Amino acid sequence: MGVADKLIREAKKAREKAYAPYSKFRVGAALMTEDGSVYTGCNVENASYGATCCAERVAIFKAVSDGKRDFTAIAVMSDSHKFTFPCGICLQVMVEFKIPTVIVADRSGGTAQYKLNDLLPYAFDKIK
Ligand code: THU
């Protein structure tokens, strides 16, 4: 099984863990590290809506807090018939850790791969 298929399968499993009582929109993400391990995340919502954290950031922060900083790809999927693309905040976090590839999958098995740079070509950069 290729990396994309493995990440999509893991993202799908992670989606089952979503805590989304407000939006009812479940999201799962799976992140591949350079050394071949996979970190997953689901969205975790909050009654104070702004405190919600997306699945992608949960996966990335889990990995970083475990000492990982080098990544090759992240997969994202929801229950939608359409692809679910990472939000702008998650894209900016992906830029921070230079995650090169974003894989998206829909509920019926369709997939696509994007370069992070194509999804957020003008990322914030604090170099003066
Ligand atoms: N969400 C994610 O987890 N990832 C995305 O890429 C977009 C949005 C979550 C946040 C919230 O819990 C729900 O989806 C609806 O916006």
Side-chain angles (χ1 to χ4, degrees), residues 23 25 27 43 45 52 54-56 76 84-87:
S23 73
F25 191 84
V27 185
N43 52 333
E45 298 188 342
T52 292
C54 294
E56 298 92 317
V76 190
T84 294
F85 287 96
C87 78

Side-chain angles (χ1 to χ4, degrees), residues 18-27 43 45 78-80 84:
Y19 178 73
Y22 305 105
S23 73
K24 316 263 193 246
F25 191 84
R26 305 185 310 161
V27 185
N43 52 333
E45 298 188 342
S78 68
D79 294 302
S80 175
T84 294

Side-chain angles (χ1 to χ4, degrees), residues 28-113:
L31 174 66
M32 178 64 75
T33 68
E34 198 78 68
D35 60 12
S37 42
V38 175
Y39 285 82
T40 60
C42 62
N43 52 333
V44 182
E45 298 188 342
N46 193 275
S48 175
Y49 297 168
T52 292
C53 194
C54 294
E56 298 92 317
R57 272 176 291 146
V58 170
I60 296 165
F61 294 162
K62 277 170 70 178
V64 172
S65 67
D66 206 20
K68 311 287 182 170
R69 291 189 181 176
D70 299 307
F71 308 110
T72 58
I74 188 165
V76 190
M77 71 178 300
S78 68
D79 294 302
S80 175
H81 291 286
K82 301 195 305 177
F83 295 141
T84 294
F85 287 96
C87 78
I89 294 174
C90 289
L91 289 172
Q92 186 71 42
V93 172
M94 290 176 198
V95 168
E96 185 77 24
F97 293 102
K98 302 182 175 60
I99 301 172
T101 304
V102 177
I103 299 158
V104 287
D106 63 29
R107 63 181 289 169
S108 23
T111 68
Q113 283 198 27

